[in-house]
Amino acid sequence: MQKIERKRLSVADYRQGLRNHDTLILAQAITLVESQLANDQHLANELIQSILPLCGQSLRIGITGVPGVGKSTFIETFGTFLTQQNKKVAVLAIDPSSGKTKGSILGDKTRMEELAKNPFAFIRPTATGTALGGVANRTREAILLCEAAGFDVVIVETVGVGQSETMVRGMVDYFLLLMLAGAGDELQGIKKGIMEMADGVVVTKADGENHKRAIQAQADLQHALHLFQLAESGWTPTVSTSSALEKKGLEETWRMMEHYKNFTDQNGFFKANRQSQNNLWLEERFTLLWNSRLTDDKKFQAMKIDLQNKIAENKMTVRDAANLLLEVSKTLT
Ligand code: GDP
């Protein structure tokens, strides 16, 4: 097949495309901010700078749960429900593990078929193969781009394993945990820590024989969540049940999110949280830049290897070696 050379877009082209809610341009803009090429990065910096006034108006929702809990099906159904309420919905998927495990999220684009065809929705599986820090940075910028393109709700989906929960928690307004009824905590691999991060829980697959168990699980979970220490937001997480199959519980789930938004708007947490998330982003971005600066420096790397050898031979302490590296890093130009 002949490769079609695409005309290189200018910042003004991207910006106009986003303002026109053009999802093709949005996809290209996300690819641009993901690019490692110096030219692209330069353009990406300018683009992000130029769209900042258009950003921030969406509700950013993180959704997690173990593989099989029904995330894709839920997002497809819930996303469709939201578009029927005249909301534009973007879905960004994060799966840092999929490079290794060919995890479940990679196939999402085909699994969320209905939503993918919906003109008021946009689905973007994440590019994988990068370190978590890089994925976090790109996803944060992708959120901004979606907002500039006029999306009212941005969903960031992640798998219920590993560190990706903490990462997603740090970039969204509302964190939703999907759980199955009747499966013990061990079975679901859900750690207490993840439950503590949640602003809301949805018990999935509340249909057929499972319906009764789901209602029981809802009550049990609500009780358990009341026993947790109150979150910084002052909000006690709420629990709903849902059946993506029967398209039930969607409105209740959305209402939980709206309540949270109103509650945290009123007590000031919503704004303060976004501010502290930006501070965290700055820290992460700086660390990322600093690390790659050091990795790229041959002299620094050679010295590090030399020091590692000295440590291995018991000729130097880790403490002294780290101090020496710090001194050398200060001389880098
Ligand atoms: P994910 O791995 O968390 O993204 O889960 P999927 O969305 O792929 O769903 C896993 C399985 O559960 C699939 O076989 C779905 O058909 C099934 N499933 C998802 N939602 C429901 C639901 O609401 N009710 C029932 N009965 N099955 C569901």
Side-chain angles (χ1 to χ4, degrees):
M1 206 166 65
Q2 203 187 353
K3 203 174 160 202
I4 301 166
E5 259 327 302
R6 217 182 260 135
K7 181 177 147 278
R8 202 173 158 77
L9 298 176
S10 67
V11 168
D13 295 332
Y14 278 114
R15 195 167 189 273
Q16 195 53 46
L18 294 173
R19 289 198 86 129
N20 293 342
H21 305 171
D22 182 333
T23 45
L24 267 176
I25 298 281
L26 171 60
Q28 286 178 36
I30 295 178
T31 306
L32 179 77
V33 301
E34 285 176 347
S35 168
Q36 306 286 341
L37 300 174
N39 266 349
D40 286 346
Q41 288 194 6
H42 188 68
L43 202 61
N45 287 348
E46 263 187 69
L47 175 61
I48 296 290
Q49 166 72 41
S50 83
I51 59 157
L52 272 188
L54 307 172
C55 300
Q57 85 297 345
S58 84
L59 183 65
R60 306 166 181 172
I61 301 170
I63 297 189
T64 192
V66 292
V69 71
K71 285 182 301 300
S72 330
T73 321
F74 175 81
I75 293 172
E76 161 120 310
T77 319
F78 185 61
T80 306
F81 162 81
L82 291 177
T83 62
Q84 288 158 356
Q85 315 296 309
N86 293 325
K87 304 223 175 303
K88 294 181 73 197
V89 181
V91 181
L92 307 170
I94 286 190
D95 188 2
S97 65
S98 63
K100 274 182 272 164
T101 60
K102 305 259 182 293
S104 63
I105 281 182
L106 278 183
D108 273 359
K109 200 155 190 181
T110 45
R111 281 150 81 204
M112 294 185 206
E113 268 170 6
E114 199 187 323
L115 200 58
K117 280 186 281 183
N118 188 320
F120 299 103
F122 172 78
I123 301 180
R124 172 83 174 196
T126 190
T128 50
T130 29
L132 211 54
V135 175
N137 184 66
R138 291 145 150 216
T139 310
R140 283 192 169 101
E141 288 183 335
I143 292 175
L144 296 181
L145 291 167
C146 291
E147 291 180 340
F151 284 89
D152 307 293
V153 177
V154 181
I155 293 176
V156 184
E157 178 195 6
T158 181
V159 196
V161 284
Q163 294 165 288
S164 58
E165 269 60 47
T166 318
M167 178 177 88
V168 172
R169 183 72 200 93
M171 61 175 80
V172 296
D173 305 312
Y174 184 93
F175 195 59
L176 182 71
L177 172 64
L178 302 189
M179 290 184 86
L180 285 169
D185 280 0
E186 326 75 57
L187 240 178
Q188 298 196 38
I190 295 287
K191 308 228 167 57
K192 185 162 169 266
I194 292 182
M195 287 213 26
E196 276 171 342
M197 277 190 247
D199 301 302
V201 179
V202 170
V203 181
T204 54
K205 308 190 194 181
D207 44 52
E209 287 178 2
N210 219 19
H211 183 255
K212 223 171 126 192
R213 256 186 295 164
I215 301 291
Q216 184 59 47
Q218 180 187 18
D220 292 348
L221 280 165
Q222 191 66 72
H223 180 69
L225 287 166
H226 268 295
L227 301 178
F228 283 3
Q229 205 181 354
L230 200 63
E232 212 187 320
S233 59
W235 172 257
T236 303
T238 42
V239 188
S240 72
T241 62
S242 144
S243 164
L245 208 66
E246 297 178 350
K247 304 196 186 338
K248 284 192 179 143
L250 307 169
E251 203 176 329
E252 289 84 328
T253 304
W254 177 239
R255 230 179 285 134
M256 286 195 329
M257 294 171 182
E258 282 188 320
H259 279 163
Y260 174 86
K261 168 87 169 74
N262 290 338
F263 181 86
T264 52
D265 264 343
Q266 271 167 26
N267 72 9
F269 179 79
F270 193 88
K271 207 166 153 222
N273 188 41
R274 284 209 172 168
Q275 173 90 52
S276 64
Q277 288 182 343
N278 274 339
N279 293 347
L280 174 74
W281 185 6
L282 174 62
E283 297 281 334
E284 282 175 9
R285 177 88 187 152
F286 177 73
T287 309
L288 210 66
L289 289 178
W290 183 239
N291 284 343
S292 70
R293 171 81 184 81
L294 296 181
T295 312
D296 291 347
D297 191 276
K298 291 203 171 63
K299 195 175 124 212
F300 184 84
Q301 287 307 316
M303 172 136 186
K304 193 160 94 178
I305 291 169
D306 184 45
L307 292 172
Q308 282 168 343
N309 290 335
K310 290 203 167 92
I311 293 167
E313 291 160 14
N314 271 335
K315 287 184 182 154
M316 188 178 271
T317 63
V318 167
R319 181 187 277 255
D320 281 343
N323 283 338
L324 265 172
L325 283 178
L326 179 66
E327 289 311 312
V328 175
S329 73
K330 285 184 195 160
T331 66
L332 298 182
T333 50

